[in-house]
Amino acid sequence: MILKKATISDLEEMQQLYVQTIQAVCQNDYNEEQRKVWSSGVNNTERWLEVIKTQFVLLAIIENQIVGFGTLKDSNYIDFFYIHKDFQRQGIADKILNELELEARKHNSKIITSDISITAKPFFEKKGFLAKAKQKNIRENVELINYKMEKKLS
């Protein structure tokens, strides 16, 4: 596995991974309607282009396939964090998170935060993140639960 920064040319594959991960990996925690609304975020092309242009976007690649990605916004906020449905529990998330934390430390960030899905919450808790608040987000009249989480960086 190699880690590399994303470019515009990676965008389509990242978006496919995003949708597939939400649909497959999150099905025990979010119903079909919730997953549909959540994954519809893929259609906000402007937002995706902005992420590539302004955030630290790290890809995990195995045999020329993107198997995971994470993004760091403003040096202290994990905006996107997705691991391919066929590559779960293989240490990929660990490696991406470690690199995002290193990047945050390079910019002297003392705390790293994120809005974490029900599905990802146990992973982030194991990595030292604490849930600060349960959040109810309404999108297209559908409620999506996530957690405001943070970790102090040493």
Side-chain angles (χ1 to χ4, degrees):
M1 182 181 79
I2 60 163
L3 297 175
K4 75 169 192 103
K5 284 189 181 177
T7 65
I8 289 287
S9 65
D10 298 309
L11 194 55
E12 189 177 325
E13 191 176 350
M14 287 171 63
Q15 290 173 307
Q16 288 170 0
L17 187 151
Y18 169 83
V19 171
Q20 290 169 357
T21 302
I22 292 167
Q23 292 302 332
V25 178
C26 301
Q27 62 187 336
N28 293 333
D29 300 304
Y30 297 91
N31 67 35
E32 189 175 339
E33 185 182 31
Q34 290 169 318
R35 293 190 321 271
K36 184 179 177 197
V37 168
W38 178 4
S39 60
S40 73
V42 77
N43 300 320
N44 187 346
T45 307
E46 207 171 284
R47 165 132 160 73
W48 284 85
L49 291 171
E50 189 69 15
V51 166
I52 294 281
K53 281 186 212 155
T54 64
Q55 295 187 27
F56 178 78
V57 182
L58 194 64
L59 305 177
I61 313 263
I62 295 176
E63 294 178 4
N64 295 318
Q65 178 185 2
I66 298 173
V67 296
F69 69 94
T71 76
L72 193 64
K73 179 180 180 178
D74 300 329
S75 304
N76 65 1
Y77 177 78
I78 297 171
D79 193 5
F80 285 83
F81 197 92
Y82 292 87
I83 307 303
H84 192 289
K85 63 182 177 58
D86 298 333
F87 291 85
Q88 297 282 309
R89 298 186 176 13
Q90 295 182 25
I92 296 165
D94 286 335
K95 289 186 172 83
I96 293 172
L97 182 59
N98 287 342
E99 290 299 316
L100 294 181
E101 289 182 9
L102 273 173
E103 184 68 15
R105 284 187 188 96
K106 278 186 205 170
H107 294 276
N108 300 313
S109 297
K110 303 289 182 234
I111 292 178
I112 193 166
T113 65
S114 192
D115 296 301
I116 305 293
S117 69
I118 296 166
T119 310
K121 186 174 179 258
F123 167 80
F124 280 91
E125 286 174 330
K126 276 187 208 141
K127 298 299 166 189
F129 281 74
L130 299 172
K132 293 297 186 180
K134 182 177 181 178
Q135 303 178 127
K136 293 180 181 182
N137 302 289
I138 307 296
R139 276 200 228 154
E140 299 172 31
N141 296 319
V142 176
E143 181 179 274
L144 294 168
I145 302 289
N146 69 9
Y147 296 87
K148 173 67 72 185
M149 297 185 79
E150 71 176 38
K151 176 181 180 176
K152 287 187 170 71
L153 298 174
S154 47

